[in-house]
Coordinates of all heavy atoms in Angstrom, one line a residue:
M189 N 145.3 283.5 -10.5 CA 144.3 282.7 -9.8 C 143.2 282.4 -10.8 O 142.1 282.8 -10.6 CB 143.8 283.4 -8.5 CG 143.3 282.4 -7.5 SD 143.0 283.2 -6.0 CE 143.2 281.8 -5.0
K190 N 143.5 281.6 -11.7 CA 142.5 281.3 -12.8 C 141.7 280.0 -12.5 O 142.3 279.1 -12.0 CB 143.3 281.1 -14.1 CG 142.8 282.0 -15.2 CD 143.6 281.8 -16.4 CE 143.2 282.7 -17.5 NZ 143.9 282.6 -18.7
D191 N 140.5 280.1 -12.8 CA 139.6 278.9 -12.7 C 139.6 278.2 -11.3 O 139.5 277.0 -11.2 CB 140.0 277.8 -13.7 CG 139.9 278.4 -15.1 OD1 139.0 279.1 -15.4 OD2 140.7 278.0 -16.0
W192 N 139.6 279.0 -10.3 CA 139.6 278.5 -8.9 C 138.2 278.3 -8.4 O 138.0 277.6 -7.4 CB 140.4 279.4 -7.9 CG 139.7 280.7 -7.7 CD1 139.9 281.8 -8.5 CD2 138.8 281.0 -6.7 NE1 139.1 282.8 -8.0 CE2 138.4 282.4 -6.9 CE3 138.2 280.3 -5.7 CZ2 137.5 283.0 -6.1 CZ3 137.3 281.0 -4.9 CH2 136.9 282.3 -5.1
L193 N 137.2 278.9 -9.1 CA 135.8 278.8 -8.7 C 135.0 278.3 -9.8 O 134.3 279.0 -10.5 CB 135.3 280.1 -8.2 CG 133.9 280.2 -7.6 CD1 133.8 279.3 -6.4 CD2 133.5 281.6 -7.3
P194 N 135.0 277.0 -10.1 CA 134.2 276.4 -11.2 C 132.7 276.5 -11.0 O 131.9 276.5 -12.0 CB 134.7 275.0 -11.3 CG 135.2 274.6 -10.0 CD 135.7 275.9 -9.4
T195 N 132.2 276.5 -9.7 CA 130.8 276.5 -9.5 C 130.5 277.0 -8.0 O 131.4 276.9 -7.2 CB 130.2 275.1 -9.7 OG1 128.8 275.2 -9.5 CG2 130.8 274.1 -8.7
L196 N 129.3 277.4 -7.8 CA 128.9 277.7 -6.5 C 128.1 276.6 -5.9 O 127.6 276.6 -4.8 CB 128.0 279.0 -6.4 CG 128.7 280.3 -6.7 CD1 127.7 281.5 -6.8 CD2 129.8 280.6 -5.7
K197 N 127.8 275.6 -6.7 CA 127.0 274.4 -6.3 C 127.8 273.5 -5.3 O 129.0 273.2 -5.5 CB 126.6 273.5 -7.5 CG 125.7 274.3 -8.5 CD 124.3 274.4 -7.9 CE 123.4 275.0 -9.0 NZ 122.1 275.1 -8.5
T198 N 127.2 273.2 -4.2 CA 127.7 272.3 -3.2 C 126.7 271.2 -2.9 O 125.5 271.4 -3.1 CB 128.2 273.0 -2.0 OG1 127.1 273.6 -1.3 CG2 129.3 274.1 -2.3
K199 N 127.1 270.1 -2.3 CA 126.2 269.0 -2.0 C 125.5 269.3 -0.7 O 124.3 268.8 -0.5 CB 127.0 267.7 -1.9 CG 127.5 267.2 -3.2 CD 128.3 265.9 -3.0 CE 128.9 265.5 -4.3 NZ 129.7 264.3 -4.2
T200 N 126.1 270.0 0.3 CA 125.5 270.2 1.6 C 125.7 271.6 2.0 O 126.5 272.3 1.5 CB 126.1 269.2 2.6 OG1 127.5 269.7 2.8 CG2 126.1 267.8 2.2
P201 N 124.9 272.0 3.0 CA 125.1 273.3 3.6 C 126.5 273.5 4.2 O 127.1 274.6 4.1 CB 124.0 273.4 4.6 CG 122.9 272.5 4.2 CD 123.6 271.4 3.5
E202 N 127.0 272.4 4.8 CA 128.3 272.5 5.4 C 129.4 272.8 4.3 O 130.3 273.6 4.5 CB 128.7 271.2 6.1 CG 127.9 271.0 7.4 CD 126.5 270.4 7.1 OE1 126.1 270.0 6.0 OE2 125.7 270.4 8.1
E203 N 129.3 272.1 3.2 CA 130.2 272.4 2.1 C 130.0 273.8 1.6 O 130.9 274.5 1.2 CB 130.0 271.4 0.9 CG 130.5 270.0 1.2 CD 130.3 269.1 0.1 OE1 129.9 269.5 -1.1 OE2 130.5 267.9 0.3
G204 N 128.7 274.3 1.6 CA 128.5 275.7 1.2 C 129.1 276.7 2.1 O 129.6 277.7 1.6
Y205 N 129.1 276.4 3.4 CA 129.7 277.3 4.3 C 131.2 277.3 4.1 O 131.8 278.4 4.2 CB 129.3 276.9 5.8 CG 129.8 278.0 6.7 CD1 129.0 279.1 6.9 CD2 130.9 277.9 7.4 CE1 129.4 280.1 7.8 CE2 131.3 278.9 8.3 CZ 130.6 280.0 8.5 OH 131.0 281.0 9.4
E206 N 131.8 276.1 3.9 CA 133.2 276.1 3.6 C 133.6 276.9 2.4 O 134.6 277.6 2.4 CB 133.7 274.6 3.5 CG 133.7 273.8 4.8 CD 133.9 272.4 4.6 OE1 134.3 271.9 3.5 OE2 133.7 271.6 5.6
L207 N 132.7 276.8 1.4 CA 133.0 277.6 0.2 C 132.9 279.1 0.5 O 133.7 279.9 0.0 CB 132.0 277.2 -0.9 CG 132.1 278.0 -2.2 CD1 133.5 277.9 -2.8 CD2 131.0 277.5 -3.2
A208 N 131.9 279.5 1.3 CA 131.8 280.9 1.7 C 133.0 281.4 2.4 O 133.5 282.5 2.1 CB 130.6 281.1 2.6
V209 N 133.6 280.6 3.3 CA 134.8 281.0 4.0 C 136.0 281.1 2.9 O 136.8 282.0 3.0 CB 135.2 279.9 5.1 CG1 136.6 280.2 5.6 CG2 134.2 280.0 6.2
K210 N 136.0 280.1 2.0 CA 137.1 280.2 1.0 C 136.9 281.5 0.1 O 137.9 282.1 -0.2 CB 137.0 279.0 0.1 CG 138.1 279.0 -1.0 CD 138.0 277.7 -1.8 CE 139.2 277.8 -2.9 NZ 139.3 276.5 -3.6
L211 N 135.7 281.8 -0.2 CA 135.4 283.1 -1.0 C 136.0 284.3 -0.2 O 136.6 285.2 -0.8 CB 134.0 283.3 -1.2 CG 133.3 282.3 -2.2 CD1 131.8 282.4 -2.2 CD2 133.8 282.5 -3.6
A212 N 135.8 284.3 1.1 CA 136.3 285.4 1.9 C 137.8 285.4 1.9 O 138.4 286.5 1.8 CB 135.7 285.3 3.3
R213 N 138.4 284.3 2.1 CA 139.9 284.2 2.1 C 140.5 284.6 0.8 O 141.5 285.3 0.8 CB 140.3 282.8 2.5 CG 140.0 282.5 4.0 CD 140.5 281.1 4.3 NE 140.3 280.8 5.7 CZ 140.4 279.6 6.2 NH1 140.6 278.5 5.5 NH2 140.2 279.5 7.5
V214 N 139.9 284.1 -0.3 CA 140.4 284.5 -1.6 C 140.3 286.0 -1.8 O 141.2 286.6 -2.4 CB 139.7 283.7 -2.7 CG1 140.0 284.2 -4.1 CG2 140.1 282.2 -2.6
A215 N 139.2 286.6 -1.4 CA 139.0 288.0 -1.6 C 140.1 288.8 -0.8 O 140.7 289.7 -1.4 CB 137.7 288.4 -1.1
V216 N 140.5 288.3 0.4 CA 141.6 289.0 1.1 C 142.9 288.8 0.4 O 143.7 289.8 0.2 CB 141.7 288.4 2.5 CG1 142.9 288.9 3.2 CG2 140.4 288.9 3.4
A217 N 143.1 287.6 -0.1 CA 144.4 287.3 -0.8 C 144.5 288.1 -2.1 O 145.6 288.6 -2.5 CB 144.5 285.9 -1.1
M218 N 143.4 288.3 -2.8 CA 143.4 289.1 -4.0 C 143.5 290.6 -3.7 O 144.1 291.3 -4.5 CB 142.1 288.8 -4.8 CG 142.1 287.4 -5.4 SD 140.5 287.0 -6.3 CE 141.0 287.5 -7.9
T219 N 142.9 291.0 -2.6 CA 143.1 292.4 -2.2 C 144.5 292.8 -1.8 O 145.0 293.8 -2.1 CB 142.1 292.8 -1.1 OG1 140.7 292.4 -1.6 CG2 142.1 294.2 -0.7
Q220 N 145.1 291.9 -1.0 CA 146.5 292.0 -0.6 C 147.2 290.8 -1.0 O 147.3 289.8 -0.2 CB 146.5 292.2 0.9 CG 147.9 292.4 1.5 CD 148.9 293.3 0.7 OE1 149.6 292.8 -0.1 NE2 148.8 294.6 1.0
P221 N 147.8 290.8 -2.2 CA 148.5 289.6 -2.7 C 149.8 289.2 -2.0 O 150.3 288.1 -2.2 CB 148.7 289.9 -4.2 CG 148.6 291.4 -4.3 CD 147.7 291.9 -3.2
D222 N 150.3 290.1 -1.3 CA 151.6 289.8 -0.6 C 151.4 289.1 0.7 O 150.9 289.6 1.7 CB 152.3 291.1 -0.3 CG 153.8 290.9 0.2 OD1 154.0 290.0 1.0 OD2 154.6 291.7 -0.2
A223 N 151.7 287.8 0.7 CA 151.5 286.9 1.8 C 152.2 287.4 3.1 O 151.7 287.2 4.2 CB 151.9 285.5 1.5
E224 N 153.4 287.9 2.9 CA 154.1 288.4 4.1 C 153.4 289.6 4.7 O 153.4 289.7 6.0 CB 155.6 288.8 3.7 CG 156.5 287.6 3.4 CD 156.6 286.7 4.7 OE1 156.8 287.2 5.8 OE2 156.4 285.5 4.5
I225 N 152.9 290.5 4.0 CA 152.1 291.6 4.5 C 150.9 291.1 5.3 O 150.6 291.5 6.4 CB 151.8 292.6 3.5 CG1 153.0 293.3 3.0 CG2 150.8 293.7 4.0 CD1 152.8 294.3 1.8
R226 N 150.2 290.1 4.7 CA 149.0 289.6 5.4 C 149.4 288.9 6.7 O 148.7 289.1 7.7 CB 148.3 288.5 4.5 CG 147.6 289.1 3.3 CD 146.6 288.2 2.6 NE 147.2 286.8 2.3 CZ 147.8 286.5 1.2 NH1 148.0 287.4 0.3 NH2 148.3 285.2 1.1
K227 N 150.5 288.2 6.7 CA 151.0 287.5 7.9 C 151.4 288.6 8.9 O 151.1 288.4 10.1 CB 152.2 286.7 7.5 CG 152.7 285.9 8.7 CD 153.9 285.0 8.2 CE 154.4 284.1 9.4 NZ 155.5 283.2 9.0
K228 N 152.0 289.7 8.5 CA 152.4 290.7 9.4 C 151.2 291.4 10.0 O 151.2 291.8 11.2 CB 153.2 291.8 8.7 CG 153.8 292.9 9.5 CD 154.6 293.8 8.7 CE 155.1 295.0 9.6 NZ 155.9 295.9 8.8
L229 N 150.1 291.6 9.3 CA 148.9 292.3 9.7 C 148.0 291.4 10.6 O 147.2 291.9 11.4 CB 148.1 292.8 8.5 CG 148.8 293.9 7.7 CD1 148.0 294.2 6.5 CD2 149.0 295.2 8.6
R230 N 148.1 290.1 10.4 CA 147.2 289.2 11.1 C 147.1 289.4 12.6 O 146.0 289.4 13.2 CB 147.6 287.7 10.8 CG 146.5 286.7 11.3 CD 146.8 285.3 10.7 NE 146.6 285.3 9.3 CZ 147.4 284.8 8.4 NH1 148.6 284.3 8.8 NH2 147.2 284.8 7.1
P231 N 148.2 289.6 13.3 CA 148.1 289.8 14.8 C 147.2 291.0 15.2 O 146.6 291.0 16.2 CB 149.5 290.0 15.3 CG 150.3 289.3 14.2 CD 149.6 289.5 12.9
E232 N 147.3 292.0 14.3 CA 146.5 293.3 14.6 C 145.0 293.0 14.5 O 144.3 293.4 15.4 CB 146.9 294.4 13.6 CG 148.3 294.9 13.8 CD 148.6 296.0 12.8 OE1 147.7 296.8 12.5 OE2 149.8 296.0 12.4
Y233 N 144.5 292.3 13.5 CA 143.1 292.1 13.4 C 142.6 290.9 14.1 O 141.4 290.8 14.4 CB 142.6 292.1 11.9 CG 143.1 291.0 11.0 CD1 142.5 289.7 11.1 CD2 144.1 291.2 10.1 CE1 143.0 288.7 10.3 CE2 144.5 290.1 9.3 CZ 143.9 288.9 9.4 OH 144.4 287.9 8.6
A234 N 143.5 290.0 14.5 CA 143.1 288.8 15.2 C 142.6 289.1 16.6 O 141.8 288.4 17.2 CB 144.3 287.9 15.4
T235 N 142.9 290.3 17.1 CA 142.4 290.7 18.5 C 141.5 291.9 18.4 O 141.1 292.5 19.4 CB 143.6 291.0 19.4 OG1 144.4 292.1 18.8 CG2 144.5 289.8 19.6
D236 N 141.1 292.3 17.2 CA 140.2 293.4 16.9 C 138.8 292.9 16.8 O 138.5 292.3 15.7 CB 140.7 294.2 15.7 CG 139.8 295.4 15.4 OD1 138.6 295.5 15.9 OD2 140.3 296.3 14.7
F237 N 137.9 293.1 17.8 CA 136.6 292.5 17.7 C 135.8 293.0 16.5 O 135.1 292.3 15.9 CB 135.8 292.8 19.0 CG 136.4 292.1 20.2 CD1 137.0 292.9 21.2 CD2 136.4 290.8 20.3 CE1 137.6 292.2 22.3 CE2 137.0 290.1 21.4 CZ 137.6 290.9 22.4
D238 N 136.0 294.3 16.2 CA 135.2 294.8 15.1 C 135.7 294.2 13.8 O 134.8 293.9 12.9 CB 135.5 296.3 14.9 CG 134.8 297.1 16.0 OD1 133.7 296.6 16.5 OD2 135.3 298.2 16.4
A239 N 137.0 293.9 13.6 CA 137.5 293.2 12.4 C 136.9 291.8 12.4 O 136.6 291.3 11.3 CB 139.0 293.2 12.4
L240 N 136.9 291.1 13.5 CA 136.4 289.7 13.5 C 134.9 289.7 13.2 O 134.5 288.8 12.4 CB 136.7 289.1 14.9 CG 138.2 288.9 15.2 CD1 138.3 288.5 16.7 CD2 138.8 288.0 14.3
I241 N 134.1 290.6 13.7 CA 132.7 290.7 13.4 C 132.5 291.0 11.9 O 131.7 290.4 11.2 CB 132.0 291.7 14.3 CG1 131.9 291.2 15.7 CG2 130.6 292.0 13.7 CD1 131.5 292.2 16.7
A242 N 133.3 291.9 11.4 CA 133.3 292.2 9.9 C 133.6 291.0 9.1 O 132.9 290.8 8.1 CB 134.2 293.4 9.6
S243 N 134.5 290.2 9.5 CA 134.9 289.0 8.8 C 133.7 288.0 8.8 O 133.4 287.4 7.7 CB 136.1 288.3 9.4 OG 137.2 289.1 9.4
S244 N 133.0 287.9 9.9 CA 131.9 287.0 10.0 C 130.8 287.5 9.1 O 130.1 286.7 8.4 CB 131.3 287.0 11.4 OG 132.3 286.3 12.2
Q245 N 130.6 288.8 9.0 CA 129.6 289.4 8.1 C 129.9 289.1 6.6 O 129.0 288.8 5.8 CB 129.5 290.9 8.3 CG 128.9 291.3 9.7 CD 128.9 292.7 10.0 OE1 129.9 293.4 9.6 NE2 128.0 293.2 10.8
V246 N 131.2 289.2 6.3 CA 131.6 288.9 4.9 C 131.3 287.4 4.6 O 130.7 287.1 3.5 CB 133.0 289.2 4.7 CG1 133.5 288.7 3.3 CG2 133.3 290.7 4.7
V247 N 131.6 286.5 5.5 CA 131.3 285.1 5.3 C 129.8 284.9 5.2 O 129.4 284.1 4.3 CB 132.0 284.2 6.4 CG1 131.5 282.8 6.3 CG2 133.5 284.3 6.3
A248 N 129.1 285.6 6.0 CA 127.6 285.4 6.0 C 127.0 285.9 4.6 O 126.1 285.2 4.1 CB 127.0 286.2 7.1
T249 N 127.5 286.9 4.1 CA 127.1 287.4 2.8 C 127.4 286.4 1.7 O 126.6 286.1 0.9 CB 127.7 288.8 2.5 OG1 127.3 289.7 3.5 CG2 127.3 289.3 1.1
H250 N 128.6 285.9 1.8 CA 129.0 284.8 0.8 C 128.2 283.6 1.0 O 127.8 283.0 0.0 CB 130.5 284.5 0.9 CG 131.4 285.5 0.4 ND1 131.3 286.2 -0.7 CD2 132.6 286.0 1.0 CE1 132.3 287.0 -0.9 NE2 133.1 287.0 0.2
F251 N 127.9 283.2 2.2 CA 127.0 282.0 2.4 C 125.6 282.2 1.9 O 125.0 281.3 1.3 CB 127.0 281.7 3.9 CG 126.3 280.4 4.2 CD1 126.7 279.2 3.6 CD2 125.2 280.3 5.0 CE1 126.1 278.0 3.9 CE2 124.5 279.1 5.3 CZ 125.0 278.0 4.7
A252 N 125.1 283.4 2.0 CA 123.8 283.7 1.5 C 123.8 283.5 -0.1 O 122.9 283.0 -0.6 CB 123.3 285.1 1.9
T253 N 124.9 284.0 -0.7 CA 125.0 283.8 -2.1 C 125.1 282.4 -2.5 O 124.4 281.9 -3.5 CB 126.2 284.6 -2.6 OG1 126.1 286.0 -2.3 CG2 126.4 284.5 -4.1
V254 N 125.9 281.6 -1.8 CA 126.1 280.2 -2.1 C 124.8 279.5 -1.9 O 124.3 278.6 -2.6 CB 127.2 279.6 -1.3 CG1 127.3 278.1 -1.4 CG2 128.6 280.2 -1.7
S255 N 124.1 279.8 -0.8 CA 122.8 279.2 -0.4 C 121.8 279.4 -1.5 O 121.1 278.5 -1.9 CB 122.3 279.7 0.9 OG 123.1 279.4 1.9
A256 N 121.7 280.6 -2.0 CA 120.7 280.9 -3.1 C 121.1 280.2 -4.4 O 120.2 279.7 -5.0 CB 120.7 282.4 -3.3
A257 N 122.4 280.1 -4.7 CA 122.8 279.3 -5.8 C 122.5 277.9 -5.8 O 122.3 277.2 -6.8 CB 124.3 279.5 -6.1
N258 N 122.3 277.4 -4.5 CA 122.0 276.0 -4.3 C 120.5 275.7 -4.0 O 120.2 274.7 -3.5 CB 122.9 275.4 -3.2 CG 124.3 275.1 -3.7 OD1 124.6 274.1 -4.3 ND2 125.2 276.1 -3.4
G259 N 119.7 276.7 -4.2 CA 118.3 276.6 -3.9 C 118.1 276.2 -2.5 O 117.1 275.5 -2.1
Y260 N 118.9 276.7 -1.6 CA 118.9 276.5 -0.2 C 118.8 275.0 0.1 O 118.3 274.6 1.1 CB 117.7 277.2 0.5 CG 117.8 278.7 0.3 CD1 117.1 279.3 -0.8 CD2 118.6 279.5 1.1 CE1 117.1 280.7 -1.0 CE2 118.6 280.9 0.8 CZ 117.9 281.4 -0.2 OH 118.0 282.8 -0.4
W261 N 119.4 274.2 -0.8 CA 119.5 272.8 -0.6 C 118.2 272.0 -0.5 O 118.1 270.9 -0.2 CB 120.5 272.4 0.5 CG 121.8 272.8 0.3 CD1 122.8 272.2 -0.4 CD2 122.5 274.1 0.7 NE1 123.9 272.9 -0.5 CE2 123.8 274.1 0.2 CE3 122.0 275.2 1.4 CZ2 124.7 275.1 0.4 CZ3 122.9 276.2 1.6 CH2 124.2 276.2 1.1
Q262 N 117.1 272.7 -0.8 CA 115.8 272.1 -0.7 C 115.5 271.2 -1.9 O 114.6 270.3 -1.8 CB 114.7 273.2 -0.6 CG 114.8 273.9 0.7 CD 113.7 275.0 0.8 OE1 112.8 275.2 0.0 NE2 113.8 275.8 1.8
E263 N 116.1 271.4 -3.0 CA 115.8 270.6 -4.2 C 116.2 269.1 -3.9 O 115.6 268.2 -4.5 CB 116.5 271.1 -5.4 CG 116.0 272.5 -5.9 CD 116.9 273.0 -7.0 OE1 117.9 272.4 -7.4 OE2 116.6 274.1 -7.4
Q264 N 117.2 268.9 -3.1 CA 117.8 267.6 -2.8 C 117.0 266.9 -1.7 O 117.1 265.7 -1.5 CB 119.2 267.7 -2.5 CG 120.1 268.2 -3.7 CD 121.5 268.3 -3.3 OE1 122.0 267.8 -2.3 NE2 122.3 268.9 -4.1
A265 N 116.3 267.7 -0.9 CA 115.6 267.1 0.3 C 114.4 266.3 -0.1 O 113.8 266.4 -1.1 CB 115.2 268.2 1.2

């Protein structure tokens, strides 16, 4: 997975949030590279409230990083 993240810069907060979600997804795929195992495990965490909240926290952390890298989009305003 080379050169998949050329920049953290995005044009809008919405694009920044999408990037944050992508960062979380890529981290999961890199942690568990076997797609079949991820597919097998998905039903277990899809109904686990703690896992879903943890996923949201990971995305929020990534979004904070992307937001900071973009100067909170104030430079463009």
Side-chain angles (χ1 to χ4, degrees):
M189 203 169 207
K190 237 180 183 181
D191 300 324
W192 68 272
L193 184 62
T195 184
L196 290 176
K197 296 288 186 176
T198 62
K199 293 180 182 176
T200 65
E202 290 81 9
E203 287 179 9
Y205 190 82
E206 289 171 11
L207 178 57
V209 171
K210 181 176 180 175
L211 290 169
R213 288 180 175 166
V214 169
V216 168
M218 292 176 92
T219 303
Q220 177 45 264
D222 188 322
E224 285 302 313
I225 291 175
R226 290 193 313 270
K227 185 176 180 180
K228 182 179 178 181
L229 294 173
R230 190 170 291 130
E232 291 179 35
Y233 66 76
T235 58
D236 181 338
F237 295 113
D238 290 331
L240 296 171
I241 290 168
S243 297
S244 293
Q245 291 171 329
V246 169
V247 171
T249 299
H250 289 313
F251 186 60
T253 301
V254 172
S255 297
N258 284 280
Y260 301 97
W261 294 276
Q262 293 179 7
E263 295 174 0
Q264 297 176 12

